[in-house]
């Protein structure tokens, strides 16, 4: 299976907190390649820095790319989708949990 899932942590969060490791294990057992990238400066996030960082981590996006966002991670996806309108490349799937509006 070539399906990739990227779980994006919350404001002031980190990859090993809360339910992130549990979800990664569950999805990995089902055959997904799962990454939980540590986002830059989580205590004082700058959305532009997060967009740039995630773009480098993810690379090309296709129908086998999935995202799970929590808190500011949801805002990150919204901003990435705005950028995607110019390139016509979209993630096929996303799940937003407890989104944060700034």
């Amino acid at each position: 299976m070539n399906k990739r899932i990227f779980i994006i942590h919350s404001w002031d969060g980190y990859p090993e907190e809360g339910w992130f490791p549990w979800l990664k294990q569950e999805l990995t057992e089902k055959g997904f390649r799962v990454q939980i990238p540590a986002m830059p400066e989580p205590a004082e996030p700058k959305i532009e820095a997060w967009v740039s960082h995630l773009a480098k981590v993810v690379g090309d996006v296709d129908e086998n790319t999935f995202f799970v966002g929590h808190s500011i991670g949801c805002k990150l996806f919204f901003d990435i989708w705005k950028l995607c309108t110019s390139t016509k490349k979209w993630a096929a799937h996303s799940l937003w949990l407890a989104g944060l509006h700034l």
Side-chain angles (χ1 to χ4, degrees):
M1 179 183 296
N2 291 323
K3 295 186 189 248
R4 304 179 304 150
I5 297 182
F6 297 89
I7 302 171
I8 309 306
H9 63 71
S10 60
W11 187 306
D12 206 21
Y14 52 94
E16 299 81 18
E17 79 170 317
W19 49 267
F20 304 134
W22 169 83
L23 183 58
K24 179 178 182 176
Q25 179 180 342
E26 292 291 316
L27 295 170
T28 299
E29 289 174 5
K30 294 185 179 351
F32 292 91
R33 290 186 306 152
V34 182
Q35 287 184 267
I36 310 172
M39 301 306 286
E41 301 182 46
E44 295 183 27
K46 309 282 187 290
I47 202 70
E48 299 83 11
W50 280 38
V51 168
S52 175
H53 179 72
L54 189 60
K56 290 175 189 169
V57 169
V58 172
D60 291 332
V61 174
D62 62 20
E63 67 276 359
N64 291 312
T65 307
F66 298 74
F67 294 96
V68 176
H70 180 251
S71 179
I72 198 169
C74 301
K75 167 78 167 117
L76 175 65
F77 297 149
F78 182 75
D79 287 359
I80 288 174
W81 281 352
K82 288 191 296 187
L83 293 174
C84 288
T85 58
S86 62
T87 64
K88 306 292 188 225
K89 289 190 173 186
W90 293 81
H93 313 276
S94 69
L95 176 63
W96 301 8
L97 303 168
L100 175 67
H101 176 68
L102 297 176

